[in-house]
């Protein structure tokens, strides 16, 4: 689901939200403009770095499992909300995306 209120918005120091794709590694960058289901949202706003990382690491296998049980291309959209405060959570999420092969930034226009 497209969320114009968060799509590509930046806070004072970093992104408010990271729209990502999660699932089959070989299909993360081949996805069409529409995916078979609405996006999942995880709100990390107000979490400590440790809590945010734990939530992301706990959620990832669940998201991947959901993607793999779905339809081709076995990829689902996820919106990771950081909030508009300090850059700490935004930087944490940015690094987490980079270190997880089954997660990729979602190109604009893909819901």
């Amino acid at each position: 689901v497209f969320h114009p209120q968060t799509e590509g918005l930046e806070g004072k120091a970093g992104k408010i939200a990271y729209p990502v794709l999660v699932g089959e590694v070989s299909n993360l960058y081949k996805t069409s403009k529409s995916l078979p289901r609405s996006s999942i949202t995880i709100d990390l706003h107000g979490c400590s770095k440790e809590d945010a990382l734990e939530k992301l690491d706990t959620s990832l296998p669940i998201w991947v499992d959901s993607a793999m049980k779905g339809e081709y291309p076995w990829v689902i959209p996820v919106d990771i909300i950081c909030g508009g405060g300090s850059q700490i959570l935004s930087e944490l999420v940015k690094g987490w995306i980079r270190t997880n092969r089954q997660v990729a930034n979602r190109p604009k226009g893909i819901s």
Side-chain angles (χ1 to χ4, degrees):
V1 173
F2 176 69
H3 299 286
Q5 70 274 18
T6 59
E7 185 73 22
L9 291 180
E10 308 254 343
K12 291 180 186 174
K15 282 184 139 185
I16 293 172
Y18 283 87
V20 297
L21 297 174
V22 176
E24 173 58 42
V25 175
S26 62
N27 292 333
L28 286 176
Y29 299 98
K30 300 179 190 174
T31 357
S32 65
K33 293 227 181 238
S34 65
L35 293 169
R37 52 183 91 132
S38 61
S39 65
I40 296 168
T41 300
I42 184 168
D43 190 350
L44 304 176
H45 183 251
C47 290
S48 68
K49 286 180 6 178
E50 295 78 16
D51 288 344
L53 195 55
E54 183 178 336
K55 282 184 176 187
L56 290 169
D57 288 341
T58 301
S59 297
L60 181 58
I62 296 165
W63 297 335
V64 170
D65 186 56
S66 178
M68 298 307 288
K69 287 180 178 174
E71 300 173 16
Y72 179 85
W74 305 293
V75 172
I76 59 170
V78 175
D79 293 319
I80 303 172
I81 310 297
C82 304
S86 73
Q87 196 170 354
I88 295 169
L89 286 181
S90 181
E91 288 298 318
L92 176 87
V93 172
K94 186 177 177 182
W96 184 83
I97 293 167
R98 285 186 186 148
T99 59
N100 285 284
R101 291 182 57 230
Q102 294 174 305
V103 182
N105 285 303
R106 189 164 74 223
K108 289 182 181 178
I110 294 182
S111 55

